[in-house]
Amino acid sequence: MSKFTRRQLLIFLGASAGATVLAPALRGKRFDRNLSIAEAAEPLKFTPVRLPHPLPIYQQQNSYLPTAMGQGSALNASTDTRLGQYNVIDDVVVPPEYERYVIVRWGDRVFPNQEEYFGYNCDYTGFVPMNGNNPNDGYLWVNHEYISFPFSAIAPEAPSDLAGFPETYPLVIGQTLPSDKTSIQLLGEFYYNLGGSVVRISRSDRAEKFAVVSDSKNRRIHGLSGLGINSQRSDQYKSTTSWGSKSYQQGDQNYLIGTGPAATQVFNQSVDGLGSKIIGTAFNCSGGTTPWGRILSAEENFQGSAAFFMGVTESVKPDGTQTSYTAGTSGEKFGLVGEKYGWMVEIDPSDPSYRPRKHTALGRFRHENIAIRAEAGKKLVAYMGDDKRGGHTWKFVSNGTVSSPNDKNNSALFEQGTLYVARYHSDGTGQWIPLELNTPTDPIAPSVLASVEIAALGKATRNGLLPLPKRNGIAGQTSDGGIFGVDTTNEATALPGYKGKKLSNFYTSQGAALCDAFLAANLVGGTPTARPEDIEIHPKTKHVYISYTDAAPGGDGYPDSRIFVVSKYTSAVNDTQHLGGLYKIIEDSSDGTGTSFHWQRFVQGGEAGSKDGTGFTQNDNLAFDSQENVWIVTDMSTGTHNGFDVGAAAKQILVDHKQTGNVTNLNAVFGNNWLLFIPTSGPNAGEAIPFAYGPPRCEMTGPTFVGDTLIIAVQHPGEDCPFTPQQTLSRSLEILNLDGSVFNQTRTVPRGSNWPSNIEGNPQGPPKPSVIGIRRKESTGRFV
């Protein structure tokens, strides 16, 4: 279980006004200010949901064990929190004091054009009130990230043994798709289901539930919005302006535009000849809502390949334009040039006349999130994360200043400014390195990045891979553009060619460097990190909270092992597990614009019985509620849920606590993905308290508090598994007890999911990504 005191966690969370922690909690010195902590006397106001694995809260509080749809039993607090049997329910399970309901589903016809429909795989949600601060009526923005089975058996990476099983697209949308993945109609419909949706939701008062209402501003902004501008081209894509016969499949003029350095210095060289005009936004993961009522939507996994054929070219040349179209991808099919994707996109839900724009000053990488600091008379500051293995943590500081945080003219501040990448030092300090042409190049050697794992295991996963831009004449390379992998086997000969220069030696313009931000950041010595899946700013302290979801190295890069636990280092069953963690940055400058900071690694993911483990895994989106409590959702890989791989066969995956190295399979212990509550006041302050879990194979994403309601998306229920005929799977799982010993539990779980059809009268019906509301049955005006 966690080895941190309640006071330490309260200080970390900022519950004590003015509290500051200036060093890593797991390594190095701690300097707190010896501030007292005021403790509220109110008890916990809901019954924690019982998850399959032991947690300290179950020793202290009664818990709610779900037993069937909408049913459960109370378990008394006990020193022994082991469960020998656990049955997973195909539903969103919430405490008995709360209720959940569906607001909008994939396929819902909620737009003026009844041929259009709500998109797939809901992610980030943002709410913009109609009138000032009215929490009962406003526009809801929902991201749509990607396509997966059972939408179609041809979806990227769908397991081959699912061919022949029912698909959901014809059942939900009422039409069929071609069976050829090169079909423009198929790929076009896939693209239509990405991007985002704007829907107005309303209720008469807090006694009512939110529902979608008819509004002329309800609309889709999708992956092929503006496809009609292909007619302005002079190449082979001039006639590629539609993907079917339906009205919404005809190319329109709702294109997006680019702003900032890449729009003026790179897009004017793009082979599409369209300049700063851009077709669509896609691969939209998390994001942020600005104080002035606009949405920032993050384009994440835009990279195309044979497996991820829904994508564009990620690699660019020194001038920032794509190396070429990637054969067999949707980018090649529609003429979508890679340099125009992978940006932060701004949308105004309440104003359809505001043309969405991609702000290139914020950099091109696999955007997952953004957190904004807007204060009158000060520069606009935005924090962002690059969700890839070895991706970076970023900060943007505008050139201009904020007049009023609510002024929509603040959007122009995203067009000019400085983008910085974070470099963490092991002593708890850090610096922000500007991504500018005159910045010196100083990549961190792979042997240094991997030094902790090498010391523990004698070798480094993937040899400490550090990707750098391929350039003619360096390390024997004979071409420009793309990626050159430096690792412990070749660093002695390869690194000297990259050191002691400037970014201007590698890129022809500032815009070009921004188009290749990930590799440019490695060049200047930014710290490769553990997939920053969300960043939030504490509403009072302004400390920057970062949810690093997984430190396992991969083909994209190697997180710095001096900062992150990248693998399980010993065969001890209770050794630290590399399953994410919660970090914090404390700026040394009062307004956040400075170039130095301190950082803290506070809680490490992993079972509560493991060394340093906190009882959760692969933490993803964060949210603060109105009382500054912290809410966290988890993002376990679909193929590890409950110890069964995806596909029709549902093969059991190995769960062995004695393993060393990459032990991601231990996610099986935690069951389905879930929503975690960490109170920052009262007698339970600092405890990891499970609040809800989602249907099998789903991910719960985009938590947004609107008055007394939590709006949250349920993404990909039943992903990559058959939904009918439904079967029940059962196996034994090895789990850590709180004392560090292991025990076995029999786990039963549906093979796939029928949610939300199963709660709406169709037990064997299709699963549908949806947005739901959660609220207390007896509302007090607050969520908790």
Side-chain angles (χ1 to χ4, degrees), residues 259 290-294 346 348 351 354 357 359 372 374 378-380 396 398-416:
T259 75
T290 70
W292 53 92
R294 286 182 176 150
E346 188 174 22
D348 192 330
D351 183 7
Y354 179 82
R357 54 211 59 199
H359 292 302
I372 302 163
K378 297 182 179 180
K379 295 184 177 185
L380 182 68
F396 170 81
S398 67
N399 286 351
T401 57
V402 175
S403 55
S404 166
N406 299 322
D407 186 350
K408 290 194 174 185
N409 290 320
N410 289 326
S411 293
L413 297 175
F414 288 125
E415 299 181 16
Q416 293 183 319

Side-chain angles (χ1 to χ4, degrees), residues 215-481:
D215 192 293
S216 62
K217 296 177 182 178
N218 289 355
R219 62 196 188 277
R220 289 296 318 281
I221 301 171
H222 53 80
L224 294 177
S225 288
L227 184 63
I229 64 173
N230 264 349
S231 64
Q232 302 173 23
R233 298 169 70 155
S234 58
D235 59 12
Q236 69 269 34
Y237 297 104
K238 183 178 179 65
S239 60
T240 307
T241 57
S242 65
W243 69 92
S245 59
K246 299 285 186 181
S247 57
Y248 69 89
Q249 296 170 333
Q250 307 305 302
D252 58 35
Q253 296 296 310
N254 297 324
Y255 60 88
L256 291 76
I257 57 173
T259 75
T264 58
Q265 299 168 359
V266 178
F267 295 174
N268 59 342
Q269 304 176 70
S270 297
V271 296
D272 63 7
L274 296 173
S276 63
K277 296 178 180 178
I278 304 170
I279 297 170
T281 178
F283 326 105
N284 306 74
C285 193
S286 189
T289 301
T290 70
W292 53 92
R294 286 182 176 150
I295 300 293
L296 292 167
S297 178
E299 295 183 327
E300 190 195 1
N301 285 305
F302 61 93
Q303 70 280 4
S305 64
F308 294 100
F309 59 87
M310 280 300 297
V312 298
T313 301
E314 184 172 26
S315 294
V316 298
K317 296 178 288 189
D319 66 1
T321 62
Q322 67 179 21
T323 50
S324 64
Y325 289 111
T326 301
T329 64
S330 55
E332 180 194 40
K333 196 71 175 181
F334 289 97
L336 308 178
V337 293
E339 63 267 25
K340 292 187 176 181
Y341 303 90
W343 303 102
M344 192 62 67
V345 187
E346 188 174 22
I347 301 107
D348 192 330
S350 61
D351 183 7
S353 68
Y354 179 82
R355 191 174 292 280
R357 54 211 59 199
K358 301 189 181 185
H359 292 302
T360 70
L362 300 181
R364 176 177 175 263
F365 45 86
R366 298 181 197 174
H367 283 275
E368 170 84 7
N369 49 62
I370 187 167
I372 302 163
R373 184 171 174 178
E375 301 171 38
K378 297 182 179 180
K379 295 184 177 185
L380 182 68
V381 180
Y383 298 91
M384 298 168 288
D386 181 359
D387 181 15
K388 67 192 302 181
R389 299 188 189 278
H392 304 92
T393 306
W394 298 89
K395 177 173 77 170
F396 170 81
V397 179
S398 67
N399 286 351
T401 57
V402 175
S403 55
S404 166
N406 299 322
D407 186 350
K408 290 194 174 185
N409 290 320
N410 289 326
S411 293
L413 297 175
F414 288 125
E415 299 181 16
Q416 293 183 319
T418 303
L419 183 65
Y420 298 89
V421 62
R423 179 157 183 164
Y424 292 99
H425 301 301
S426 345
D427 63 356
T429 63
Q431 65 186 108
W432 293 108
I433 303 172
L435 205 72
E436 296 179 330
L437 290 180
N438 63 356
T439 301
T441 59
D442 185 25
I444 306 172
S447 58
V448 174
L449 292 175
S451 57
V452 175
E453 188 179 33
I454 292 172
L457 297 176
K459 60 182 179 179
T461 308
R462 295 184 181 267
N463 295 317
L465 175 66
L466 180 73
L468 293 172
K470 183 183 292 184
R471 292 295 184 267
N472 185 24
I474 298 180
Q477 301 164 56
T478 58
S479 62
D480 287 326

Side-chain angles (χ1 to χ4, degrees), residues 688-721:
I689 303 174
F691 182 86
Y693 74 70
R697 311 288 182 172
C698 92
E699 184 184 344
M700 296 206 294
T701 61
T704 296
F705 290 97
V706 182
D708 65 350
T709 299
L710 173 63
I711 293 175
I712 193 167
V714 179
Q715 187 181 97
H716 58 71
E719 182 172 65
D720 288 340
C721 297

